[in-house]
Coordinates of all heavy atoms in Angstrom, one line a residue:
M558 N 89.4 142.8 143.3 CA 90.1 143.2 142.1 C 90.8 142.0 141.6 O 91.4 141.4 142.2 CB 91.1 144.4 142.5 CG 91.9 144.8 141.5 SD 93.1 146.2 141.9 CE 92.1 147.2 142.9
S559 N 90.5 141.8 140.3 CA 91.0 140.6 139.7 C 92.0 140.9 138.5 O 91.9 142.0 138.0 CB 89.8 139.9 139.0 OG 90.2 138.7 138.3
G560 N 92.8 140.1 138.4 CA 94.0 140.3 137.3 C 93.6 139.6 136.1 O 94.4 139.4 135.2
T561 N 92.2 139.3 135.9 CA 91.8 138.7 134.7 C 90.8 139.7 134.0 O 90.2 140.5 134.7 CB 91.2 137.5 134.8 OG1 90.1 137.5 135.8 CG2 92.2 136.5 135.5
E562 N 90.4 139.4 132.8 CA 89.4 140.1 132.1 C 88.0 139.7 132.7 O 87.8 138.6 133.1 CB 89.4 139.8 130.6 CG 90.5 140.3 129.8 CD 90.4 140.0 128.3 OE1 89.6 139.3 128.0 OE2 91.2 140.6 127.6
N563 N 87.1 140.7 132.7 CA 85.8 140.4 133.2 C 84.8 140.2 132.0 O 84.6 140.9 131.2 CB 85.2 141.7 133.9 CG 83.9 141.5 134.5 OD1 83.2 140.5 134.2 ND2 83.5 142.4 135.4
V564 N 84.5 138.8 131.9 CA 83.6 138.4 130.8 C 82.2 138.3 131.1 O 81.4 137.6 130.4 CB 84.2 137.2 130.2 CG1 85.6 137.3 129.6 CG2 84.3 136.1 131.3
S565 N 81.8 138.7 132.3 CA 80.4 138.7 132.7 C 79.5 139.5 131.8 O 79.9 140.5 131.2 CB 80.2 139.2 134.2 OG 79.0 139.6 134.5
S566 N 78.3 139.0 131.6 CA 77.4 139.8 130.7 C 76.9 141.1 131.5 O 76.3 142.0 130.7 CB 76.1 138.9 130.5 OG 75.4 138.6 131.5
Y567 N 77.1 141.2 132.8 CA 76.6 142.5 133.5 C 77.6 143.5 133.3 O 78.9 143.4 133.4 CB 76.7 142.2 135.1 CG 75.6 141.1 135.4 CD1 76.1 139.9 135.8 CD2 74.3 141.4 135.4 CE1 75.0 138.9 136.2 CE2 73.3 140.4 135.7 CZ 73.6 139.4 136.1 OH 72.8 138.3 136.4
K568 N 77.1 144.7 132.8 CA 78.0 145.8 132.5 C 78.1 146.9 133.6 O 79.1 147.5 133.7 CB 77.5 146.6 131.3 CG 77.5 145.7 130.0 CD 78.8 145.8 129.4 CE 78.7 144.9 128.0 NZ 80.0 144.9 127.3
W569 N 77.0 147.0 134.4 CA 76.8 148.0 135.5 C 77.2 147.4 136.8 O 76.7 146.3 137.0 CB 75.5 148.6 135.5 CG 75.0 149.4 134.2 CD1 74.5 149.1 133.2 CD2 75.4 150.8 134.1 NE1 74.4 150.1 132.3 CE2 74.9 151.2 132.9 CE3 76.1 151.8 135.0 CZ2 75.2 152.5 132.5 CZ3 76.3 153.0 134.5 CH2 75.7 153.4 133.2
T570 N 77.8 148.1 137.7 CA 78.0 147.7 139.1 C 77.8 148.8 140.0 O 78.3 149.9 139.8 CB 79.5 147.2 139.2 OG1 79.8 146.1 138.3 CG2 79.7 146.7 140.7
L571 N 76.9 148.5 141.0 CA 76.5 149.6 142.1 C 77.2 149.0 143.4 O 77.0 147.8 143.7 CB 75.1 149.5 142.2 CG 74.5 150.5 143.3 CD1 75.0 152.0 143.2 CD2 73.1 150.3 143.5
G572 N 77.9 149.9 144.1 CA 78.5 149.5 145.2 C 78.2 150.5 146.4 O 78.1 151.7 146.1
V573 N 77.9 150.0 147.6 CA 77.7 150.8 148.7 C 78.5 150.3 149.9 O 78.5 149.2 150.0 CB 76.2 150.9 149.1 CG1 76.1 151.8 150.4 CG2 75.4 151.4 147.9
R574 N 79.3 151.2 150.6 CA 80.1 150.8 151.6 C 79.9 151.7 152.8 O 79.8 153.0 152.7 CB 81.6 151.0 151.3 CG 82.6 150.6 152.5 CD 84.0 150.9 152.1 NE 84.2 152.4 152.1 CZ 85.3 152.9 151.7 NH1 86.3 152.2 151.2 NH2 85.5 154.2 151.8
A575 N 79.7 151.2 154.0 CA 79.4 151.9 155.2 C 80.5 151.3 156.3 O 80.4 150.2 156.5 CB 78.0 151.8 155.6
L576 N 81.2 152.3 156.9 CA 82.2 151.8 157.9 C 82.1 152.7 159.1 O 81.8 153.9 159.0 CB 83.6 152.1 157.3 CG 84.0 151.1 156.1 CD1 85.3 151.5 155.6 CD2 84.0 149.7 156.4
S577 N 82.3 152.2 160.2 CA 82.3 153.0 161.5 C 83.9 153.2 161.8 O 84.7 152.8 161.2 CB 81.8 152.2 162.5 OG 82.4 151.0 162.9
N578 N 84.0 154.3 162.8 CA 85.3 154.8 163.1 C 86.3 155.3 162.0 O 87.3 154.8 162.1 CB 86.0 153.6 163.9 CG 85.2 153.2 165.1 OD1 84.8 154.0 165.8 ND2 85.2 151.9 165.5
Q579 N 85.7 155.9 161.0 CA 86.5 156.5 159.9 C 86.3 158.0 159.9 O 85.4 158.6 160.5 CB 85.7 155.9 158.6 CG 86.0 154.3 158.5 CD 87.4 154.0 158.4 OE1 88.2 154.6 157.7 NE2 87.8 153.0 159.1
I580 N 87.2 158.7 159.1 CA 86.8 160.1 159.0 C 85.6 160.2 158.2 O 85.0 159.3 157.5 CB 88.0 160.8 158.2 CG1 88.2 160.0 156.7 CG2 89.4 160.7 159.0 CD1 89.3 160.8 155.9
P581 N 84.8 161.3 158.2 CA 83.6 161.4 157.6 C 83.5 161.1 156.1 O 82.5 160.3 155.8 CB 83.1 162.9 157.9 CG 83.7 163.1 159.1 CD 85.1 162.5 159.0
R582 N 84.4 161.4 155.4 CA 84.4 161.2 154.1 C 84.5 159.7 153.6 O 83.9 159.1 152.7 CB 85.6 161.9 153.3 CG 85.7 161.7 151.7 CD 87.1 161.8 151.2 NE 88.1 160.9 151.9 CZ 88.1 159.5 151.5 NH1 87.2 159.0 150.8 NH2 88.9 158.8 152.3
A583 N 85.2 158.9 154.5 CA 85.4 157.6 154.2 C 84.2 156.7 154.9 O 84.3 155.5 154.6 CB 86.6 157.1 154.8
S584 N 83.3 157.2 155.7 CA 82.4 156.4 156.3 C 81.3 155.8 155.5 O 80.8 154.8 155.7 CB 81.8 157.1 157.6 OG 81.0 158.3 157.1
V585 N 80.9 156.6 154.4 CA 79.9 156.2 153.5 C 80.3 156.5 152.1 O 80.8 157.6 151.8 CB 78.6 156.9 153.8 CG1 77.4 156.4 152.7 CG2 78.1 156.6 155.2
R586 N 80.2 155.5 151.2 CA 80.8 155.6 149.9 C 79.9 154.9 148.9 O 79.6 153.6 149.1 CB 82.2 154.9 149.9 CG 82.8 155.1 148.4 CD 84.2 154.4 148.4 NE 84.9 154.6 147.1 CZ 85.4 153.5 146.5 NH1 85.6 152.4 147.0 NH2 86.1 153.8 145.3
T587 N 79.4 155.5 147.9 CA 78.5 154.8 146.9 C 79.2 155.0 145.5 O 79.7 156.1 145.1 CB 77.2 155.5 146.8 OG1 76.6 155.5 148.2 CG2 76.3 154.9 145.9
T588 N 79.3 153.8 144.8 CA 79.9 153.9 143.4 C 79.0 153.2 142.4 O 78.2 152.4 142.7 CB 81.3 153.1 143.5 OG1 81.0 151.8 143.7 CG2 82.2 153.6 144.4
L589 N 79.1 153.8 141.2 CA 78.4 153.2 140.1 C 79.3 153.2 138.9 O 80.0 154.2 138.5 CB 77.3 154.1 139.6 CG 76.4 153.6 138.4 CD1 75.7 152.1 138.7 CD2 75.4 154.6 138.1
T590 N 79.8 152.0 138.4 CA 80.7 151.8 137.3 C 80.0 151.2 136.2 O 79.1 150.3 136.3 CB 81.9 151.1 137.8 OG1 81.6 149.7 138.2 CG2 82.6 151.8 138.9
Y591 N 80.7 151.3 135.0 CA 80.1 150.7 133.6 C 81.4 150.1 133.0 O 82.4 150.9 132.9 CB 79.5 151.7 132.7 CG 79.1 151.2 131.5 CD1 77.8 150.3 131.5 CD2 79.6 151.2 130.4 CE1 77.3 149.8 130.4 CE2 79.2 150.7 129.1 CZ 78.1 149.9 129.2 OH 77.6 149.4 128.0
R592 N 81.3 148.9 132.7 CA 82.4 148.2 132.0 C 82.3 148.5 130.4 O 81.4 148.0 129.7 CB 82.4 146.7 132.2 CG 83.5 146.0 131.7 CD 83.6 144.4 132.1 NE 82.3 143.9 132.5 CZ 81.7 143.2 131.6 NH1 82.1 143.2 130.3 NH2 80.5 142.6 131.7
L593 N 83.3 149.2 129.9 CA 83.4 149.6 128.6 C 84.0 148.4 127.7 O 83.8 148.2 126.6 CB 84.1 150.9 128.4 CG 83.5 152.1 128.9 CD1 84.5 153.3 128.9 CD2 82.4 152.5 128.1
H594 N 84.8 147.7 128.5 CA 85.7 146.5 127.8 C 85.9 145.5 128.9 O 86.0 145.9 130.1 CB 86.9 147.3 127.3 CG 87.9 146.4 126.6 ND1 88.8 145.6 127.3 CD2 88.0 145.9 125.3 CE1 89.4 144.9 126.4 NE2 89.1 145.0 125.2
P595 N 86.2 144.4 128.6 CA 86.5 143.4 129.7 C 87.6 143.8 130.6 O 87.7 143.4 131.7 CB 86.8 142.1 129.0 CG 86.1 142.2 127.7 CD 86.1 143.7 127.3
R596 N 88.5 144.8 130.2 CA 89.7 145.2 131.0 C 89.6 146.7 131.4 O 90.4 147.2 132.0 CB 91.0 144.8 130.2 CG 91.2 143.4 130.1 CD 92.3 143.1 129.1 NE 93.5 143.7 129.6 CZ 94.7 143.5 128.8 NH1 94.6 142.7 127.8 NH2 95.8 144.2 129.1
F597 N 88.4 147.3 131.1 CA 88.4 148.7 131.4 C 87.1 149.2 131.9 O 86.0 148.9 131.2 CB 88.8 149.6 130.2 CG 88.8 151.1 130.3 CD1 89.6 151.6 131.3 CD2 87.9 152.0 129.5 CE1 89.6 153.0 131.5 CE2 88.0 153.3 129.7 CZ 88.9 153.8 130.7
S598 N 87.0 149.7 132.9 CA 85.6 150.3 133.5 C 85.8 151.8 134.0 O 86.9 152.2 134.4 CB 85.1 149.5 134.7 OG 86.0 149.5 135.7
V599 N 84.7 152.6 133.8 CA 84.7 153.9 134.3 C 83.4 154.2 135.2 O 82.5 153.4 135.1 CB 84.7 154.9 133.2 CG1 86.0 154.9 132.3 CG2 83.5 154.7 132.3
G600 N 83.4 155.1 136.0 CA 82.3 155.4 136.8 C 82.4 156.6 137.6 O 83.3 157.4 137.5
V601 N 81.4 156.7 138.5 CA 81.3 157.8 139.5 C 81.3 157.4 140.9 O 80.8 156.3 141.2 CB 80.1 158.8 139.2 CG1 80.3 159.6 137.9 CG2 78.8 158.1 139.3
E602 N 81.9 158.1 141.8 CA 81.8 157.9 143.3 C 81.2 159.0 144.0 O 81.5 160.2 143.6 CB 83.3 157.6 143.6 CG 83.4 157.5 145.2 CD 85.0 157.3 145.4 OE1 85.8 157.7 144.6 OE2 85.3 156.9 146.6
Y603 N 80.3 158.7 145.0 CA 79.7 159.7 145.8 C 80.0 159.5 147.3 O 79.6 158.4 147.7 CB 78.4 159.8 145.5 CG 77.6 160.9 146.3 CD1 77.9 162.2 146.6 CD2 76.5 160.5 147.0 CE1 77.3 163.1 147.2 CE2 75.7 161.5 147.7 CZ 76.1 162.7 147.9 OH 75.6 163.7 148.7
N604 N 80.6 160.3 147.9 CA 80.8 160.4 149.3 C 79.9 161.3 150.1 O 80.2 162.5 150.1 CB 82.3 160.6 149.7 CG 83.2 159.5 149.0 OD1 83.1 158.4 149.4 ND2 84.1 160.0 148.1
P605 N 78.7 160.9 150.5 CA 77.7 161.9 151.0 C 78.1 162.7 152.2 O 77.8 163.9 152.3 CB 76.5 161.1 151.2 CG 77.0 159.7 151.3 CD 78.1 159.7 150.5
R606 N 78.9 162.2 153.0 CA 79.3 162.8 154.2 C 80.3 163.9 154.0 O 80.5 164.8 154.8 CB 79.8 161.9 155.3 CG 78.7 161.0 155.7 CD 78.7 160.4 157.1 NE 78.8 161.4 158.1 CZ 79.5 161.1 159.2 NH1 80.0 159.9 159.4 NH2 79.6 161.9 160.1
A607 N 80.9 164.0 152.8 CA 81.9 165.0 152.5 C 81.3 165.8 151.2 O 82.1 166.6 150.7 CB 83.2 164.4 152.0
D608 N 80.2 165.5 150.8 CA 79.6 166.1 149.5 C 80.6 166.0 148.4 O 80.8 167.1 147.8 CB 79.1 167.6 149.9 CG 78.1 168.0 148.8 OD1 77.5 167.1 148.2 OD2 78.1 169.2 148.6
D609 N 81.1 164.9 148.2 CA 82.3 164.7 147.1 C 81.8 163.8 146.1 O 81.3 162.8 146.5 CB 83.5 164.1 148.0 CG 84.7 163.9 146.9 OD1 85.0 164.8 146.1 OD2 85.2 162.8 147.0
V610 N 81.9 164.2 144.9 CA 81.6 163.4 143.7 C 82.9 163.3 142.9 O 83.5 164.3 142.6 CB 80.5 164.0 142.8 CG1 80.3 163.1 141.6 CG2 79.3 164.0 143.7
G611 N 83.2 162.1 142.4 CA 84.6 162.1 141.7 C 84.5 160.8 140.7 O 83.7 160.0 140.7
L612 N 85.4 160.9 139.7 CA 85.7 159.8 138.7 C 86.2 158.6 139.2 O 87.3 158.8 140.1 CB 86.5 160.5 137.6 CG 87.0 159.5 136.5 CD1 85.8 159.2 135.6 CD2 88.1 160.2 135.7
L613 N 85.8 157.5 138.7 CA 86.5 156.2 138.9 C 86.9 155.6 137.6 O 86.2 155.8 136.6 CB 85.5 155.2 139.7 CG 85.0 155.4 141.0 CD1 83.9 154.4 141.4 CD2 86.2 155.4 141.9
A614 N 88.0 155.1 137.7 CA 88.5 154.4 136.5 C 89.4 153.1 136.9 O 90.1 153.2 137.8 CB 89.3 155.2 135.5
N615 N 89.2 152.1 136.1 CA 90.1 150.8 136.5 C 90.4 150.2 135.2 O 89.5 150.0 134.3 CB 89.2 149.9 137.4 CG 90.0 148.9 138.0 OD1 90.9 149.2 138.7 ND2 89.6 147.6 137.8
F616 N 91.8 149.9 135.0 CA 92.2 149.3 133.8 C 93.2 148.2 134.2 O 94.1 148.4 134.9 CB 92.9 150.4 132.9 CG 93.6 149.9 131.6 CD1 92.9 149.1 130.7 CD2 94.9 150.0 131.5 CE1 93.5 148.6 129.5 CE2 95.7 149.4 130.4 CZ 94.9 148.7 129.4
V617 N 92.9 147.0 133.7 CA 93.7 145.9 133.7 C 94.7 146.0 132.6 O 94.5 145.5 131.5 CB 93.0 144.5 133.7 CG1 94.0 143.3 134.0 CG2 91.9 144.4 134.8
A618 N 96.0 146.5 132.9 CA 96.9 146.8 131.8 C 97.7 145.5 131.4 O 98.0 145.3 130.3 CB 98.0 147.8 132.3
V619 N 97.9 144.6 132.4 CA 98.6 143.3 132.2 C 97.7 142.4 132.8 O 97.5 142.3 134.0 CB 100.0 143.3 132.6 CG1 100.6 141.9 132.4 CG2 100.8 144.3 131.9
T620 N 97.2 141.3 132.2 CA 96.4 140.3 132.8 C 97.3 139.2 133.6 O 98.4 139.0 133.2 CB 95.5 139.4 131.8 OG1 96.2 138.8 130.9 CG2 94.5 140.3 131.3
E621 N 96.8 138.6 134.6 CA 97.5 137.6 135.3 C 97.7 136.3 134.5 O 96.8 135.9 133.8 CB 96.9 137.3 136.7 CG 97.6 136.3 137.5 CD 96.9 136.1 138.9 OE1 96.0 136.9 139.3 OE2 97.2 135.1 139.5
S622 N 98.8 135.7 134.6 CA 99.0 134.3 134.0 C 99.5 133.4 135.1 O 99.7 133.8 136.2 CB 99.9 134.5 132.7 OG 101.3 134.6 133.3
A623 N 99.8 132.1 134.7 CA 100.4 131.2 135.6 C 101.6 131.7 136.2 O 102.0 131.5 137.4 CB 100.5 129.8 135.0
R624 N 102.4 132.4 135.5 CA 103.8 132.8 136.0 C 103.9 134.4 136.2 O 104.8 134.8 136.8 CB 104.9 132.5 135.0 CG 104.9 131.0 134.9 CD 105.9 130.6 133.8 NE 107.2 131.1 134.2 CZ 108.3 130.5 134.5 NH1 108.1 129.2 134.9 NH2 109.4 131.0 134.8
R625 N 102.8 135.1 135.7 CA 103.1 136.6 135.7 C 101.9 137.3 136.6 O 100.8 136.8 136.4 CB 102.9 137.2 134.2 CG 103.0 138.5 134.1 CD 102.6 139.0 132.7 NE 101.2 138.7 132.3 CZ 101.0 138.0 131.1 NH1 101.9 137.8 130.2 NH2 99.6 137.8 130.8
P626 N 102.2 138.3 137.4 CA 101.2 138.9 138.1 C 100.4 140.0 137.1 O 101.0 140.2 136.1 CB 102.0 139.7 139.1 CG 103.5 139.9 138.6 CD 103.7 138.7 137.7
A627 N 99.3 140.4 137.6 CA 98.6 141.3 136.9 C 98.9 142.8 137.3 O 99.6 142.9 138.4 CB 97.0 141.1 137.2
L628 N 98.8 143.7 136.3 CA 99.1 145.1 136.6 C 97.8 145.8 136.4 O 97.2 145.8 135.2 CB 100.1 145.7 135.8 CG 100.3 147.2 135.9 CD1 100.8 147.6 137.3 CD2 101.3 147.7 134.9
I629 N 97.2 146.6 137.5 CA 95.9 147.1 137.4 C 96.2 148.6 137.7 O 96.9 148.9 138.7 CB 94.9 146.6 138.4 CG1 94.7 145.1 138.0 CG2 93.6 147.2 138.3 CD1 94.3 144.2 139.1
L630 N 95.7 149.6 136.9 CA 95.8 151.0 137.0 C 94.4 151.6 137.2 O 93.5 151.1 136.7 CB 96.5 151.6 135.8 CG 97.7 150.9 135.3 CD1 98.3 151.7 134.0 CD2 98.9 151.1 136.3
G631 N 94.4 152.6 138.0 CA 93.1 153.3 138.2 C 93.2 154.6 139.1 O 94.2 155.0 139.3
T632 N 91.9 155.1 139.3 CA 91.7 156.3 140.0 C 90.6 156.2 141.0 O 89.6 155.6 140.7 CB 91.8 157.6 139.2 OG1 91.7 158.7 140.2 CG2 90.5 157.5 138.2
S633 N 90.6 156.9 142.1 CA 89.6 156.8 143.1 C 89.7 157.9 144.1 O 90.9 158.5 144.1 CB 89.6 155.4 143.7 OG 88.7 155.4 144.9
S634 N 88.8 158.0 145.1 CA 89.0 159.0 146.2 C 89.5 158.1 147.4 O 89.8 158.7 148.4 CB 87.8 159.7 146.5 OG 86.9 158.9 147.2
D635 N 89.5 156.8 147.2 CA 89.7 156.0 148.3 C 91.3 156.0 148.8 O 92.1 155.3 148.4 CB 89.3 154.6 148.0 CG 89.0 153.6 149.2 OD1 88.7 154.3 150.2 OD2 88.9 152.5 149.0
R636 N 91.5 157.0 149.8 CA 92.8 157.1 150.3 C 92.8 156.8 151.7 O 91.7 156.9 152.4 CB 93.3 158.6 150.2 CG 93.3 159.1 148.8 CD 93.2 160.6 148.7 NE 92.2 161.1 149.6 CZ 90.9 161.3 149.5 NH1 90.3 160.7 148.6 NH2 90.3 161.7 150.5
I637 N 93.9 156.3 152.3 CA 93.9 155.9 153.7 C 94.1 157.1 154.6 O 95.2 157.7 154.5 CB 94.8 154.8 154.1 CG1 94.5 153.6 153.1 CG2 94.9 154.4 155.5 CD1 95.4 152.4 153.2
G638 N 93.2 157.6 155.3 CA 93.5 158.6 156.3 C 93.6 160.1 155.8 O 94.0 160.9 156.7
T639 N 93.5 160.4 154.6 CA 93.5 161.8 154.1 C 92.1 162.3 153.8 O 91.3 161.6 153.2 CB 94.4 161.8 152.9 OG1 93.9 161.0 151.8 CG2 95.8 161.3 153.2
P640 N 91.8 163.5 154.1 CA 90.5 164.0 154.1 C 90.1 164.5 152.7 O 89.0 164.7 152.5 CB 90.4 165.3 155.1 CG 91.9 165.5 155.1 CD 92.7 164.4 154.9
S641 N 91.1 164.7 151.9 CA 90.7 165.2 150.5 C 91.7 164.8 149.4 O 92.7 164.2 149.7 CB 90.7 166.8 150.5 OG 92.0 167.2 150.8
G642 N 91.3 165.1 148.2 CA 92.1 164.7 147.0 C 91.8 163.4 146.4 O 90.8 162.8 146.8
R643 N 92.4 163.1 145.3 CA 92.1 161.8 144.5 C 93.4 160.9 144.6 O 94.4 161.4 144.8 CB 91.9 162.1 143.0 CG 90.8 163.2 142.8 CD 89.4 162.7 143.1 NE 89.0 161.4 142.4 CZ 87.9 160.6 142.7 NH1 87.3 161.0 143.8 NH2 87.7 159.5 142.1
S644 N 93.1 159.7 144.5 CA 94.3 158.7 144.4 C 94.4 158.2 143.0 O 93.4 158.0 142.4 CB 94.2 157.6 145.4 OG 93.1 156.7 145.1
I645 N 95.7 158.0 142.6 CA 95.9 157.4 141.4 C 96.8 156.1 141.8 O 97.7 156.3 142.5 CB 96.6 158.2 140.3 CG1 95.8 159.4 140.0 CG2 97.0 157.6 139.1 CD1 96.5 160.5 139.2
Y646 N 96.4 154.9 141.3 CA 97.2 153.8 141.8 C 97.5 152.9 140.7 O 97.0 152.8 139.6 CB 96.2 153.0 142.9 CG 94.9 152.6 142.2 CD1 94.8 151.3 141.6 CD2 93.8 153.4 142.4 CE1 93.7 150.9 141.1 CE2 92.6 152.9 141.9 CZ 92.5 151.7 141.2 OH 91.2 151.3 140.7
A647 N 98.6 152.1 141.1 CA 99.0 150.9 140.4 C 99.1 149.8 141.2 O 99.7 149.8 142.3 CB 100.4 151.1 139.6
T648 N 98.4 148.7 140.9 CA 98.4 147.4 141.8 C 99.0 146.3 140.9 O 98.5 146.1 139.9 CB 97.0 147.2 142.2 OG1 96.4 148.3 142.9 CG2 96.9 146.0 143.1
V649 N 99.9 145.6 141.7 CA 100.4 144.3 141.1 C 99.8 143.3 141.9 O 99.9 143.3 143.1 CB 101.9 144.3 141.2 CG1 102.4 143.0 140.8 CG2 102.5 145.5 140.4
S650 N 99.1 142.4 141.3 CA 98.4 141.2 142.1 C 98.8 139.9 141.4 O 98.9 139.8 140.2 CB 97.0 141.5 142.1 OG 96.3 141.3 140.9
K651 N 98.9 138.9 142.4 CA 99.1 137.5 141.8 C 98.5 136.6 142.9 O 98.6 136.7 144.2 CB 100.6 137.3 141.8 CG 101.0 135.8 141.4 CD 100.8 135.7 140.0 CE 101.4 134.4 139.4 NZ 100.2 133.5 139.0
S652 N 97.6 135.6 142.3 CA 97.0 134.6 143.2 C 98.1 133.6 143.6 O 99.0 133.1 142.7 CB 96.0 133.8 142.4 OG 95.5 132.8 143.1
L653 N 98.2 133.4 144.9 CA 99.1 132.4 145.4 C 98.5 131.0 145.7 O 99.2 130.2 146.4 CB 99.8 133.1 146.6 CG 100.6 134.3 146.4 CD1 101.1 134.8 147.8 CD2 101.6 134.1 145.5
S654 N 97.2 130.9 145.6 CA 96.5 129.6 145.9 C 97.2 128.4 145.3 O 97.2 127.3 146.0 CB 95.1 129.8 145.4 OG 95.0 129.9 143.9
G655 N 97.7 128.4 144.1 CA 98.4 127.2 143.6 C 99.7 126.9 144.4 O 100.0 125.7 144.7
A656 N 100.4 127.8 144.9 CA 101.6 127.6 145.6 C 101.4 127.2 147.0 O 102.1 126.2 147.5 CB 102.6 128.8 145.5
V657 N 100.4 127.8 147.7 CA 100.3 127.5 149.2 C 98.9 126.6 149.5 O 98.7 126.4 150.6 CB 100.2 128.9 149.9 CG1 101.5 129.6 149.7 CG2 99.0 129.8 149.5
K658 N 98.2 126.4 148.4 CA 97.0 125.6 148.7 C 96.1 126.1 149.5 O 95.3 125.5 150.2 CB 97.5 124.1 149.1 CG 98.4 123.4 148.3 CD 98.0 123.1 147.0 CE 99.1 122.4 146.1 NZ 99.2 122.9 144.8
L659 N 96.0 127.6 149.5 CA 95.0 128.3 150.3 C 94.5 129.4 149.2 O 95.1 129.7 148.4 CB 95.6 129.0 151.5 CG 96.1 128.0 152.7 CD1 96.8 128.8 153.7 CD2 94.9 127.3 153.2
P660 N 93.3 129.9 149.6 CA 92.7 131.0 148.7 C 93.2 132.3 148.9 O 92.6 133.2 149.5 CB 91.2 130.9 149.0 CG 91.2 130.5 150.5 CD 92.3 129.4 150.6
V661 N 94.6 132.4 148.6 CA 95.4 133.8 148.9 C 95.7 134.4 147.5 O 96.1 133.8 146.6 CB 96.7 133.4 149.6 CG1 97.4 134.8 149.9 CG2 96.4 132.7 150.9

């Protein structure tokens, strides 16, 4: 997740995740998203082991600058340890690589 606008010419993103030692819903996840705007994407998520289909959305509300962190809002089913429901999230992110000289 980046705190900048996505200026790539690619509009579609397909993602597949497979994890072991997870609850069934979280063990396999497939996503397909479409970027409507450099700061806004929507899509669908399918969790086949739970027969769950849901909406994905991601919006970079505030882009990251040299002094300011980014604010990213969205929705997903990706919850830690819960078997059902949707998550709505707000993420504040800031690259620290300039301050600590590491890719953090």
Side-chain angles (χ1 to χ4, degrees):
M558 181 177 314
S559 172
T561 61
E562 293 183 347
N563 184 342
V564 293
S565 165
S566 62
Y567 298 107
K568 301 274 187 185
W569 291 95
T570 302
L571 174 66
V573 177
R574 176 186 74 187
L576 301 171
S577 61
N578 299 321
Q579 299 292 317
I580 60 173
R582 183 208 53 79
S584 63
V585 179
R586 177 182 187 226
T587 304
T588 62
L589 179 64
T590 58
Y591 182 76
R592 185 170 33 89
L593 296 167
H594 180 274
R596 293 169 57 177
F597 183 58
S598 64
V599 295
V601 294
E602 171 183 16
Y603 177 52
N604 298 297
R606 297 211 46 216
D608 196 29
D609 176 49
V610 177
L612 171 70
L613 292 175
N615 194 57
F616 175 57
V617 180
V619 177
T620 58
E621 180 178 347
S622 72
R624 298 179 54 104
R625 175 188 67 224
L628 172 62
I629 302 159
L630 309 171
T632 184
S633 170
S634 75
D635 209 11
R636 304 157 320 280
I637 299 174
T639 59
S641 64
R643 303 294 301 164
S644 68
I645 298 172
Y646 59 85
T648 302
V649 176
S650 68
K651 180 74 176 108
S652 172
L653 301 176
S654 60
V657 296
K658 308 297 185 224
L659 295 169
V661 180

